[in-house]
Amino acid sequence: VFREVAAAGFTNSWASCVWNFTDVAKVRVQAASSSGLACAQYQGFGPTIARICSEEGLRGLLLPGIVASCMRDLLYSGLSIGMYPAMKQQLFGSDTGDIGLLRKFATGIVTGA
């Protein structure tokens, strides 16, 4: 079970590291639009990324929020996806065949997947 949880957590954390810049840009656009500064500062995804890179460098685009994002994925995604096979076996036995949509749905609800 630990191997599946660790594999799921590390895989999702890696993906979060790769795509973290999209979250940084999204949060900047959302924060600017909620404060009424959307027209003045950030006018879309591409210009926002360019502005962050020019003002703060690559660090300003890649690093904010990366630790929290990786920790969330290690814990939440690791547990919800990694526990799925063990929970499926616990709930419905060691049948390795197709268990049907309703049983898959029930297992997903129990694990949070």
Side-chain angles (χ1 to χ4, degrees), residues 16-101:
S16 286
C17 289
V18 170
W19 295 106
N20 187 57
F21 75 95
T22 61
D23 282 336
V24 172
K26 176 192 70 163
V27 168
R28 297 280 180 100
V29 170
Q30 288 174 339
S33 67
S34 68
S35 66
L37 301 173
C39 295
Q41 286 188 337
Y42 303 110
Q43 299 177 355
F45 188 72
T48 299
I49 289 176
R51 184 177 180 121
I52 293 170
C53 284
S54 68
E55 292 179 357
E56 302 172 35
L58 212 50
R59 289 178 66 116
L61 189 62
L62 299 178
L63 294 182
I66 199 162
V67 173
S69 181
C70 286
M71 293 304 293
R72 178 195 64 225
D73 284 332
L74 276 170
L75 295 174
Y76 174 72
S77 298
L79 288 173
S80 65
I81 296 171
M83 291 297 293
Y84 184 87
M87 191 55 62
K88 182 174 80 169
Q89 183 178 11
Q90 188 73 23
L91 291 174
F92 304 112
S94 62
D95 183 20
T96 59
D98 186 22
I99 61 171
L101 183 62

